Amino acid sequence: MSPEKLQINALVLYKGHPARILALADKVEIELEGGKTKRVRDKDVILLHPGPLQQLQGLPGEAADVTEAWELLEGEESRFADLLELVFERPGPAQAWSLWLSLAEGLWFEGDINALRPRSAEQIAADRAAREEKARKEQEWADLLQRLQQRQILAEDRGQLSEVERLALGQLAQSRILEALGIAATPENAHRLLVELGYWPDHQNPHPGRQGVPLDSPQLEPGELQQEPRQDLTELTAWAIDDEHSNDPDDAISFDGDRLWVHVADVAALVVPDSALDQEARSRGANLYLPETISHMLPPPLTEMLGLGLQERSPALSIGLRLSEAAEPVDIAICASHIRATRISYAEANRRLEQEPFASIRSLTERYRARRQQAGAVGLDLPEVSLRVIDGRPQIKPQEKLDSREMVTDAMLMAGEAVASYCLQHQIAVPFAVQAPPDELRSPGSLAQMYAYRRFFKPTRSQTEPGLHSGLGLQRYVRATSPLRRYPDLLTHQQLRAHLAGREPLSLEQVSLRASQSDEGSFLRRRTERLSNQHWKLVWLRQNADWQGEGVVVEQGERHMVVMIPELAFEARMRLKPEYSLDQAVRMKVREINLPEQLAYFRLL
């Protein structure tokens, strides 16, 4: 716009805001809202009204009603000045600004100030509906934030909060809601907010979701067990010994003269390599045992069919062996069988250890354990507990040290070593479990010494070549007694069944690939179990806020120490107290529990 068309005290538009012309020269001096002045080029301003405008204050804040003008123009173009006279009888600077506000809304007219075109009725209706919807959503958002700030929610808010839940479960990195509330986007902060809002119960366990571990069990059909030749071992009394609440009995033991039989659920009879059941089990790697639930590796109906002692006669893969003078498994026999299993608890078996056949089995396993210990096997006597959740309340009970539990453990290890020897003899590829010896060998005696020695242990690995399992004191070992619960055991069974049936077993490369695939799922499940157990112990401490008990100092650092609470199998990190020494017992009580951060604070008494 040329300078001669501008006048002193005219109303102009500058960057979308009103301005008043103060002077005209090589540049235009304008006054802006708030009294600030500025020198600009003439092409930087748009004339809205020649004035005179004495002050910017008092210009209207409401847009003019241009409905009638829009109807009168009927699609004809118009200049701003002409439209101003059409809308107002006596247009002044105030009316010009009011008209500009209406045009700036972009609802009734489009184009520039010298060529304004009425928009169609359809465009206006669609635009108006969109604006109303936007305004509605903005109001709903503002109302939601206000409720969240007050830690209140309505039923309809739960859909919006799903993004916060996904962040709490580690499935999102950001949250619009947390950002709007000024809360850092961390899973722990999201967890805390969801509990404060009542969206999550205060005991919610987020760790399965964060690890990406499914809590459901496979829904695949297990199929039907095919008829095949099986050795009839039903005349032997088979004992399936397990924890009271176990629902997947996959092993049992019998004693026949001087021969030990370890019977294992014949899962590979139904789960064949590369079937849908096999692929599902391989991806999971193992059962997931949480205090609040169990997520099975295989469909639960399959367990009902094959679990030992759940039917009158159970199909099994039976491993028979004797112990040599050197307490090594010899005279090994493996066969598909039928057995009759009686289920009893460890506690019941412990009460019958002086009776047959338990006394003979115990004698055999004690010889075997002595041999392993001579070979360097280490048993760390660290506290263990049974942890179950009922209706959101964790129940913690110290796990009793029972001779029957050691007896069964050694019987299963004997079977695993026997299977390893059998597979080596017959050149059957299986995933051997190996563990390198610790960097430093010790003979721990006290709780603190065992706690420290645990740090030196190397992880157990799967490989297709036999090797030392240092912790067990065995030169060769294969996991073979829990095919309902662990994929490596199932893989071993698939190989054994192929061999027994005269089929070609999987190759070394195929076994190695399958074992490594299952290890990934197993690792996530072990991590989930560890984090979940810690979570529920913290829930128990919070629900028992007046708890007082005994701890034992098991580690001391420069600034902190670790106190083990044996009755909870819980490790508490505390500020170092120089007056306490390792293995010293201390009295302590709960001070504070921070569940989202998985932190517990105690006070020494």
Side-chain angles (χ1 to χ4, degrees):
M1 183 174 287
S2 58
E4 58 269 23
K5 292 184 180 181
L6 298 176
Q7 303 178 34
I8 305 296
N9 290 329
L11 170 66
V12 294
L13 185 70
Y14 176 71
K15 292 185 177 181
H17 297 279
R20 182 169 70 98
I21 295 179
L22 298 178
L24 296 169
D26 57 331
K27 285 194 173 184
V28 180
E29 184 178 355
I30 59 174
E31 176 192 8
L32 303 173
E33 292 174 299
K36 184 179 178 180
T37 62
K38 189 178 183 69
R39 287 169 55 82
V40 299
R41 298 171 300 179
D42 60 344
K43 65 180 182 179
D44 293 333
V45 298
I46 297 174
L47 178 65
L48 294 181
H49 195 277
L53 174 65
Q54 302 303 323
Q55 60 180 12
L56 291 172
Q57 291 82 0
L59 287 177
E62 295 182 358
D65 182 358
V66 297
T67 308
E68 187 176 346
W70 172 80
E71 292 174 345
L72 291 173
L73 287 173
E74 293 185 351
E76 297 180 7
E77 283 192 357
S78 175
R79 296 182 308 121
F80 181 83
D82 296 335
L83 184 59
L84 181 61
E85 292 182 353
L86 186 61
V87 174
F88 297 100
E89 292 183 6
R90 297 180 180 181
Q95 289 72 30
W97 182 246
S98 179
L99 176 61
W100 173 255
L101 291 178
S102 179
L103 297 178
E105 292 178 352
L107 181 63
W108 298 94
F109 291 88
E110 61 187 4
D112 61 35
I113 201 165
N114 293 313
L116 294 168
R117 297 180 299 277
R119 301 179 74 213
S120 70
E122 293 77 13
Q123 286 176 312
I124 293 172
D127 221 2
R128 179 174 282 160
R131 294 181 186 196
E132 290 174 353
E133 177 64 15
K134 180 181 178 182
R136 183 186 65 79
K137 288 184 176 180
E138 288 176 349
Q139 186 59 52
E140 288 179 351
W141 174 250
D143 293 343
L144 171 66
L145 293 180
Q146 183 177 16
R147 289 194 296 273
L148 296 182
Q149 287 168 343
Q150 298 169 350
R151 297 302 187 262
Q152 298 173 353
I153 58 172
L154 302 175
E156 55 264 32
D157 296 336
R158 300 188 73 85
Q160 292 267 51
L161 287 169
S162 63
E163 75 164 44
V164 180
E165 182 174 43
R166 292 178 64 196
L167 175 57
L169 296 176
Q171 298 167 1
L172 284 180
Q174 299 294 330
S175 164
R176 179 179 174 224
I177 288 176
L178 288 189
E179 182 180 1
L181 294 175
I183 300 174
T186 67
E188 293 78 15
N189 284 341
H191 180 171
R192 185 178 294 105
L193 177 62
L194 292 173
V195 170
E196 290 174 353
L197 292 171
Y199 181 95
W200 273 2
D202 59 2
H203 57 259
Q204 179 79 21
N205 177 12
H207 300 291
R210 289 182 189 174
Q211 301 304 316
V213 175
L215 288 178
D216 61 331
S217 296
Q219 299 301 308
L220 300 170
E221 289 295 328
E224 294 184 4
L225 199 63
Q226 301 298 314
Q227 294 295 324
E228 60 178 303
R230 289 182 179 273
Q231 187 169 338
D232 188 354
L233 298 179
T234 56
E235 295 303 315
L236 293 176
T237 303
W239 303 95
I241 308 172
D242 215 328
D243 290 307
E244 290 184 8
H245 303 291
S246 172
N247 61 359
D248 46 11
D250 51 10
D251 57 65
I253 51 178
S254 297
F255 197 70
D256 183 16
D258 61 348
R259 189 173 186 80
L260 177 74
W261 284 96
V262 174
H263 312 286
V264 186
D266 195 3
V267 181
L270 279 177
V271 185
V272 299
D274 294 324
S275 64
L277 286 169
D278 177 66
Q279 293 177 28
E280 181 70 22
R282 193 189 315 166
S283 69
R284 293 176 180 245
N287 280 5
L288 174 67
Y289 291 99
L290 301 181
E292 67 270 37
T293 190
I294 298 174
S295 172
H296 293 271
M297 177 182 80
L298 291 164
L302 188 145
T303 297
E304 295 171 11
M305 293 171 60
L306 300 179
L308 302 187
L310 299 183
Q311 306 293 335
E312 183 180 354
R313 288 203 321 165
S314 299
L317 193 68
S318 296
I319 304 157
L321 59 93
R322 292 184 173 88
L323 278 192
S324 68
E325 291 296 324
E328 295 178 344
V330 294
D331 192 15
I332 300 165
I334 300 178
C335 64
S337 66
H338 274 125
I339 68 167
R340 296 186 193 275
T342 300
R343 300 185 65 194
I344 63 172
S345 67
Y346 284 114
E348 175 63 21
N350 210 68
R351 289 190 287 269
R352 302 170 65 172
L353 285 181
E354 302 304 319
Q355 305 171 18
E356 292 296 345
F358 301 105
S360 294
I361 296 174
R362 182 185 183 188
S363 175
L364 207 64
T365 57
E366 284 178 344
R367 284 180 54 212
Y368 184 72
R369 189 180 317 126
R371 174 203 143 205
R372 292 195 303 107
Q373 290 171 342
Q374 274 191 328
V378 177
L380 298 181
D381 190 19
L382 292 170
E384 295 182 71
V385 296
S386 168
L387 176 55
R388 299 178 67 220
V389 174
I390 302 174
D391 296 330
R393 298 194 67 84
Q395 315 289 321
I396 300 179
K397 185 168 66 174
Q399 191 175 90
E400 192 176 358
K401 305 295 181 183
L402 298 174
D403 292 338
S404 60
R405 193 180 295 274
E406 286 192 335
M407 178 186 72
V408 172
T409 296
D410 275 288
M412 298 305 116
L413 294 178
M414 290 164 66
E417 185 180 13
V419 169
S421 298
Y422 184 93
C423 290
L424 285 173
Q425 178 186 352
H426 295 279
Q427 298 183 328
I428 305 169
V430 289
F432 292 92
V434 299
Q435 182 189 47
D439 295 331
E440 182 179 329
L441 295 176
R442 298 182 179 181
S443 298
S446 70
L447 186 59
Q449 290 170 348
M450 286 185 280
Y451 182 84
Y453 195 39
R454 184 183 62 176
R455 306 287 180 88
F456 289 89
F457 280 27
K458 303 293 181 63
T460 297
R461 298 180 295 104
S462 294
Q463 62 182 46
T464 52
E465 294 296 325
L468 170 68
H469 194 296
S470 174
L472 299 178
L474 296 175
Q475 291 298 323
R476 62 183 68 88
Y477 174 65
V478 171
R479 296 187 178 103
T481 58
S482 296
L484 283 172
R485 295 183 274 186
R486 295 187 307 228
Y487 187 80
D489 305 55
L490 172 57
L491 179 57
T492 296
H493 277 230
Q494 291 173 341
Q495 292 291 85
L496 287 171
R497 282 189 59 86
H499 166 76
L500 294 173
R503 301 192 304 271
E504 185 69 24
L506 300 170
S507 67
L508 280 171
E509 292 76 14
Q510 289 173 311
V511 169
S512 178
L513 177 61
R514 284 160 166 73
S516 63
Q517 289 172 338
S518 72
D519 283 348
E520 296 176 10
S522 295
F523 172 80
L524 288 177
R525 278 155 181 75
R526 289 194 300 270
R527 179 176 172 82
T528 302
E529 288 169 355
R530 184 173 67 253
L531 292 170
S532 296
N533 286 338
Q534 179 78 351
H535 169 88
W536 286 110
K537 289 176 184 179
L538 290 170
V539 172
W540 187 92
L541 285 166
R542 191 177 61 184
Q543 292 178 352
N544 295 270
D546 57 349
W547 176 87
Q548 296 185 19
E550 183 177 280
V552 179
V553 179
V554 293
E555 184 177 88
Q556 292 176 313
E558 292 184 4
R559 297 183 179 179
H560 295 91
M561 64 182 184
V562 176
V563 178
M564 173 73 74
I565 304 175
E567 68 178 274
L568 304 177
F570 186 87
E571 302 169 24
R573 185 177 172 86
M574 307 180 70
R575 184 175 299 172
L576 181 66
K577 299 289 185 180
E579 61 268 28
Y580 295 116
S581 58
L582 288 176
D583 287 311
Q584 182 172 346
V586 297
R587 293 290 299 174
M588 54 200 301
K589 66 176 295 186
V590 178
R591 180 164 59 89
E592 180 187 349
I593 300 298
N594 184 334
L595 199 57
E597 304 286 346
Q598 282 216 321
L599 295 174
Y601 301 94
F602 295 86
R603 180 179 293 111
L604 295 177
L605 302 176

